[in-house]
């Protein structure tokens, strides 16, 4: 179905086609896989969607760390379901990216060789059970804020994948908040564990929305193309405004001495973000970058015989059917 | 790197009485595996009672570049719609 890869800009017709493309975007007509699109739009989307997919896949690792040690059978079932969802999200997104003419193998290779990026948040370790709660509450909470606008983005397959993902993310966020709630209202030790998790996950979560608008040169083009509907800072503010009161309800303290409510703007204001740390982790020097890449590479290599066996089995049976 | 398994388009019937609807795609070595993967990927929350899988390469589609010309014949035939006809005042059940 998604076989026709755009032939690029035919001489003399490029501007005309691009004008028609922009005009359709203005009328909020979605772009579908075989439609003509500017090469830069295609490339940007492949990068954005595949990075998003990689983030879902690598995102299974920090939480997977706690599946065998969840504190009850119910928590274990919930966590298994959540991690399975993350795998599903990765697959929806890889499929959406493939409609743009890239192959699954190329994307997997880009991840495994370190050529492609994934969300930096997953390069932080999950040291205690409370981290599982903090990830659901904060990381999935931030992801929802990022992703809900994308259900209206201009590229049809991406928008449709985001609809499915957002539905499932709200389960993720609530189960995380539920873990935090139980700990925050438990013994003093459990409460301290919840506070410690918030202390470690707060700033990386705030950074998840990416560099400040002043340092994001691609914002304008992506917004023109309607594959980004709000700026990084707008989304970040929304996250802060929605999360600070939740922390108060949990009885936990946001680790920011400068945090204050601005009556005039009706928004919370936070202290300075340590972008040095952000760029250090993006560049590969976070606490777990190497471990995550190693785990993904091992999983891929250890699974090679399964992929080969399944392909051989399918080929053998197809040959038998042809012979009948 | 391995060769990609073929791509399959997945159609799910959400309940009897409704048509199968395209929900996305996935890779699988054969049709049986495509069905099982589709169950795990697209019906984790009671979304379906029946699944169809079709190899993506077996689908023939209209060409979006030609769609204006292709669908043009139906564009100027407003008389095919009931709303084309004015119903005289007082006439009922029409």
């Amino acid at each position: 179905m998604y076989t026709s890869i755009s032939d690029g800009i035919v001489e003399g017709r490029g501007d005309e086609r691009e004008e028609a493309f922009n005009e359709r975007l203005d009328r909020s007509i979605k772009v579908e896989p075989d439609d003509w699109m500017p090469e830069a739009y295609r490339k940007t989307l492949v990068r954005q969607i595949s990075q998003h997919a990689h983030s879902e896949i690598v995102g299974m690792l920090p939480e997977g760390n706690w599946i065998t040690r969840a504190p009850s059978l119910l928590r274990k079932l919930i966590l298994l379901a959540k991690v399975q969802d993350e795998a599903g999200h990765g697959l929806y997104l890889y499929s959406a990216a493939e409609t743009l003419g890239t192959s699954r193998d190329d994307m997997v290779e880009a991840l495994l060789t370190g050529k492609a990026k994934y969300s930096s948040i997953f390069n932080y370790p999950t040291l205690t059970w409370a981290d599982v709660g903090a990830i659901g509450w904060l990381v999935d909470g931030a992801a929802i804020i990022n992703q809900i606008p994308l259900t209206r983005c201009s590229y049809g397959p991406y928008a449709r994948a985001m609809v499915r993902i957002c539905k499932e993310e709200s389960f993720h966020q609530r189960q995380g908040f539920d873990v935090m709630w139980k700990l925050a209202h438990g013994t003093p030790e459990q409460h301290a564990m919840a506070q410690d998790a918030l202390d470690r996950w707060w700033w990386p979560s705030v950074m998840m929305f990416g560099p400040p608008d002043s340092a994001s040169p691609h914002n304008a083009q992506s917004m023109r193309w309607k594959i980004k509907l709000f700026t990084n800072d707008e989304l970040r503010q929304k996250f802060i405004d929605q999360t600070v009161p939740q922390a108060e309800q949990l009885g936990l303290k946001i680790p920011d001495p400068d945090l204050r409510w601005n009556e005039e703007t009706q928004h919370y204001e936070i202290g300075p973000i340590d972008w040095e740390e952000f760029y250090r982790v993006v560049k590969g020097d976070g606490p777990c970058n190497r471990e995550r890449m190693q785990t993904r590479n091992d999983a891929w290599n250890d699974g090679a015989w399964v992929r080969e066996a399944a392909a051989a089995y399918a080929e053998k049976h197809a040959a038998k059917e042809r012979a009948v | 790197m391995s060769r990609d398994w073929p791509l399959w388009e997945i159609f799910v019937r959400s309940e009897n009485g409704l048509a199968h609807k395209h929900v996305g795609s996935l890779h699988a070595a054969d049709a049986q595996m495509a069905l099982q993967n589709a169950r795990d990927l697209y019906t984790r929350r009671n979304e379906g009672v029946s699944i169809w899988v079709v190899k993506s390469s077996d689908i023939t589609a209209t060409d979006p570049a030609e769609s204006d010309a292709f669908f043009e014949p139906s564009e100027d035939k407003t008389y095919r719609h009931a709303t084309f006809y004015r119903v005289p005042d007082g006439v009922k059940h029409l």
Side-chain angles (χ1 to χ4, degrees):
Chain A
M1 179 136 80
Y2 309 123
T3 47
S4 88
I5 294 170
S6 165
D7 48 0
I9 294 169
V10 176
E11 223 166 300
R13 285 191 59 207
D15 290 346
E16 212 175 286
R17 286 202 283 190
E18 190 147 352
E19 253 171 54
F21 176 83
N22 285 328
E23 191 259 334
R24 285 162 69 88
L25 283 187
D26 290 340
R27 287 195 285 143
S28 295
I29 297 176
K30 302 277 181 200
V31 182
E32 293 294 343
D34 289 343
D35 292 345
W36 184 89
M37 60 187 89
E39 269 317 295
Y41 174 86
R42 183 187 301 275
K43 267 193 197 142
T44 304
L45 265 180
V46 167
R47 195 180 58 228
Q48 182 174 332
I49 301 174
S50 63
Q51 284 185 6
H52 193 160
H54 299 327
S55 301
E56 302 283 356
I57 297 300
V58 178
M60 290 192 281
L61 302 177
E63 293 179 293
N65 181 35
W66 281 90
I67 289 175
T68 56
R69 291 174 289 154
S72 71
L73 182 58
L74 179 60
R75 289 292 185 200
K76 184 173 181 157
L77 289 171
I78 293 170
L79 188 55
L80 272 171
K82 183 190 188 269
V83 173
Q84 189 191 18
D85 277 352
E86 305 297 359
H89 296 179
L91 295 177
Y92 306 152
L93 288 162
Y94 281 132
S95 293
E98 284 178 85
T99 64
L100 291 158
T102 180
S103 83
R104 180 73 56 98
D105 271 352
D106 285 346
M107 289 187 279
V108 170
E109 188 178 2
L111 173 66
L112 297 181
T113 55
K115 209 177 111 203
K117 296 269 177 261
Y118 55 88
S119 181
S120 283
I121 192 90
F122 301 117
N123 289 318
Y124 291 86
T126 41
L127 304 178
T128 74
W129 169 250
D131 290 13
V132 170
I135 288 179
W137 172 40
L138 299 172
V139 177
D140 290 296
I144 290 173
I145 287 176
N146 242 331
Q147 290 167 352
I148 284 179
L150 291 175
T151 61
R152 294 181 283 119
C153 77
S154 64
Y155 189 58
Y158 191 26
R160 293 192 284 275
M162 292 320 304
V163 170
R164 298 187 68 87
I165 289 175
C166 284
K167 257 191 228 163
E168 297 175 354
E169 291 284 7
S170 67
F171 143 59
H172 297 177
Q173 193 191 16
R174 285 206 193 172
Q175 66 83 35
F177 190 81
D178 189 60
V179 167
M180 293 302 274
W181 184 268
K182 294 273 159 46
L183 291 173
H185 294 83
T187 64
E189 289 82 4
Q190 288 172 324
H191 185 93
M193 196 193 273
Q195 180 64 54
D196 168 63
L198 173 57
D199 289 347
R200 283 180 292 108
W201 289 95
W202 171 252
W203 287 109
S205 301
V206 168
M207 292 178 202
M208 268 179 76
F209 298 92
D213 295 349
S214 53
S216 307
H218 300 304
N219 263 343
Q221 181 57 266
S222 290
M223 291 183 94
R224 174 74 190 85
W225 280 332
K226 298 188 179 176
I227 52 179
K228 186 170 177 66
L229 291 105
F230 296 96
T231 71
N232 294 354
D233 286 338
E234 285 168 345
L235 294 167
R236 183 171 9 252
Q237 187 62 49
K238 199 166 189 286
F239 171 73
I240 292 163
D241 287 343
Q242 123 180 356
T243 309
V244 171
Q246 291 171 350
E248 280 166 14
Q249 283 159 323
L250 286 167
L252 300 176
K253 200 175 166 323
I254 302 276
D256 179 358
D258 297 327
L259 180 74
R260 66 177 194 97
W261 172 251
N262 184 327
E263 191 58 45
E264 210 169 293
T265 61
Q266 293 287 301
H267 289 297
Y268 285 95
E269 286 171 6
I270 60 168
I273 297 172
D274 180 5
W275 291 113
E276 292 282 312
E277 175 183 330
F278 175 78
Y279 287 114
R280 202 165 55 240
V281 181
V282 168
K283 286 192 183 120
D285 259 337
C288 301
N289 295 55
R290 287 166 196 83
E291 187 189 327
R292 302 291 184 236
M293 291 305 293
Q294 191 60 50
T295 308
R296 281 314 311 155
N297 272 283
D298 289 348
W300 180 257
N301 295 331
D302 292 350
W305 72 270
V306 180
R307 296 191 297 276
E308 282 159 23
Y313 177 87
E315 180 48 41
K316 194 173 108 187
H317 282 259
K320 228 187 247 173
E321 258 173 48
R322 281 195 298 271
V324 174
Chain B
M1 288 290 151
S2 72
R3 207 174 30 126
D4 271 344
W5 285 339
L7 191 65
W8 302 77
E9 299 302 324
I10 313 303
F11 301 80
V12 172
R13 185 202 295 287
S14 57
E15 57 179 287
N16 278 13
L18 296 178
H20 285 75
K21 192 178 161 201
H22 183 244
V23 292
S25 55
L26 53 77
H27 287 277
D30 58 27
Q32 196 56 38
M33 187 196 254
L35 281 174
Q36 285 165 353
N37 288 359
R39 175 199 58 194
D40 293 345
L41 189 57
Y42 291 108
T43 63
R44 286 197 298 282
R45 290 179 173 80
N46 296 320
E47 289 98 332
V49 295
S50 165
I51 300 175
W52 289 348
V53 299
V54 183
K55 251 193 200 162
S56 307
S57 57
D58 286 343
I59 291 179
T60 308
T62 54
D63 178 357
E66 304 293 328
S67 54
D68 282 352
F70 192 80
F71 293 106
E72 190 270 335
S74 83
E75 255 172 28
D76 57 354
K77 295 176 181 62
T78 49
Y79 50 84
R80 285 180 174 170
H81 298 274
T83 48
F84 177 78
Y85 303 91
R86 198 185 70 81
V87 177
D89 291 344
V91 177
K92 287 179 182 163
H93 307 298
L94 202 65

